[in-house]
Amino acid sequence: MDDEVDPDCVPNPVQVRRLLGAVRQLPGRGPHLYAFFGCMYYAGMRPAEVINLRKSQCRLPRTGWGLLNLKGGIVTAGKEWSDDGAVHETHSLKRRSAKTTRPVPIPPVLVRMLIEHIARFGVTADGRIFQNAAGNYIDAAAYGITWGRAREAALAMDEHVLNLAKRPYGLRHAGISFWLASGVDPAECARRAGQSIQVLFRYYAKFLAGTRDRANQLIEDSMNRWEESPASDEAELSVSWPGNTPDQLVSGGMAVGQSRSKEAFRLVA
């Protein structure tokens, strides 16, 4: 479930780059989880959706933007709660039917991260991109530990005090808030994030306020440009063209004064 978003705890793009760079440099699981965390930030994905991501869902061109066609997520249910006694279950996209998909465009930086990850680590037999050392599902506790170590390595003391990006889920919040801050339409942000517009407005109200203020400024700037346009522009629009001058109107080669009034009216109309 999405948490309430505290803007003070959401990392900015520079801080995110530091955090992802720290993940990549960590020994052990770090390189395996670099693209994993990248999906949460650059595609606004939930951890369960990243765990379930398969190569067949990815369009990864060598240049330009790519596309992820998200279909569901892997959740840890516990044997006593799952249908077949398995610890993990595949769930449909949040609040959607099992057949629903969510196409999410991804920037070139994430395309490169995924291409490099697949080339280095391969995929599982069922096509999953992310796996642990044994080829199984990525465990929440494991990526949580790695994230904690990255925070220790990348963040300053005051950033720790603010609990900046305390949990990996903060990357999703950071990604969505960055879309909003970049001026992306809130409805499109909600669609990419797999949320309703109502949820987006409730969780990201403070970020949306900034978007609204910028929109107001854009409208005001445009209005000012029109009001400051040269008076000659308005004058040109009001200048009478020859057909509006009665003594210049002609009907069948005759001046208006020489034609009947109805004919002159018909010519003006």
Side-chain angles (χ1 to χ4, degrees):
M1 181 175 180
D2 291 303
D3 295 329
E4 297 293 341
V5 182
D6 182 352
D8 292 333
C9 298
V10 176
N12 62 41
V14 174
Q15 293 165 329
V16 168
R17 285 198 297 270
R18 280 164 38 202
L19 286 162
L20 291 178
V23 169
R24 193 177 196 178
Q25 297 300 319
L26 287 174
R29 285 189 294 259
H32 290 262
L33 294 173
Y34 174 58
F36 180 93
F37 290 129
C39 285
M40 295 179 66
Y41 177 66
Y42 291 110
M45 295 171 67
R46 300 178 177 90
E49 295 169 340
V50 186
I51 293 172
N52 191 49
L53 185 64
R54 285 164 166 75
K55 187 178 179 180
S56 60
Q57 297 171 250
C58 306
R59 191 168 72 202
L60 306 173
R62 288 295 172 181
T63 60
W65 283 65
L67 185 74
L68 303 181
N69 194 34
L70 306 183
K71 297 181 180 179
I74 297 294
V75 297
T76 304
K79 293 182 178 180
E80 67 274 20
W81 299 106
S82 62
D83 295 332
D84 57 2
V87 176
H88 299 88
E89 279 192 328
T90 303
H91 283 209
S92 60
L93 293 172
K94 198 169 184 181
R95 301 183 185 90
R96 288 164 174 79
S97 68
K99 295 183 179 180
T100 301
T101 60
R102 184 174 90 246
V104 179
I106 58 173
V109 60
L110 181 56
V111 171
R112 290 192 298 271
M113 291 169 74
L114 288 171
I115 289 175
E116 292 171 2
H117 179 92
I118 293 170
R120 182 174 180 181
F121 302 110
V123 299
T124 63
D126 62 356
R128 283 183 294 105
I129 293 177
F130 300 103
Q131 56 184 307
N132 62 17
N136 297 322
Y137 293 114
I138 299 288
D139 186 75
Y143 69 70
I145 291 172
T146 300
W147 184 249
R149 291 172 178 169
R151 289 184 73 253
E152 290 294 330
L155 299 183
M157 184 63 67
D158 58 334
E159 294 169 330
H160 279 286
V161 171
L162 289 173
N163 285 326
L164 188 75
K166 185 175 182 179
R167 297 186 303 123
Y169 210 102
L171 286 170
R172 171 173 156 86
H173 293 321
I176 297 171
S177 62
F178 180 71
W179 296 343
L180 291 168
S182 299
V184 179
D185 182 78
E188 175 62 10
C189 289
R191 190 203 64 74
R192 294 189 184 200
Q195 295 176 325
S196 68
I197 192 69
Q198 292 84 0
V199 169
L200 188 83
F201 272 79
R202 181 166 73 248
Y203 291 151
Y204 296 88
K206 292 183 179 179
F207 294 103
L208 283 162
T211 302
R212 180 191 60 206
D213 292 342
R214 280 193 304 279
N216 291 347
Q217 188 61 54
L218 288 172
I219 293 170
E220 184 176 348
D221 291 345
S222 185
M223 293 173 68
N224 289 337
R225 283 196 297 273
W226 277 101
E227 292 173 358
E228 294 169 1
S229 61
S232 59
D233 293 347
E234 187 173 330
E236 288 176 6
L237 292 175
S238 62
V239 168
S240 297
W241 48 285
N244 285 339
T245 307
D247 58 1
Q248 293 178 348
L249 283 173
V250 292
S251 176
M254 294 186 301
V256 172
Q258 296 175 322
S259 64
R260 294 190 301 274
S261 60
K262 288 185 177 180
E263 292 177 345
F265 176 78
R266 191 158 43 243
L267 181 61
V268 174

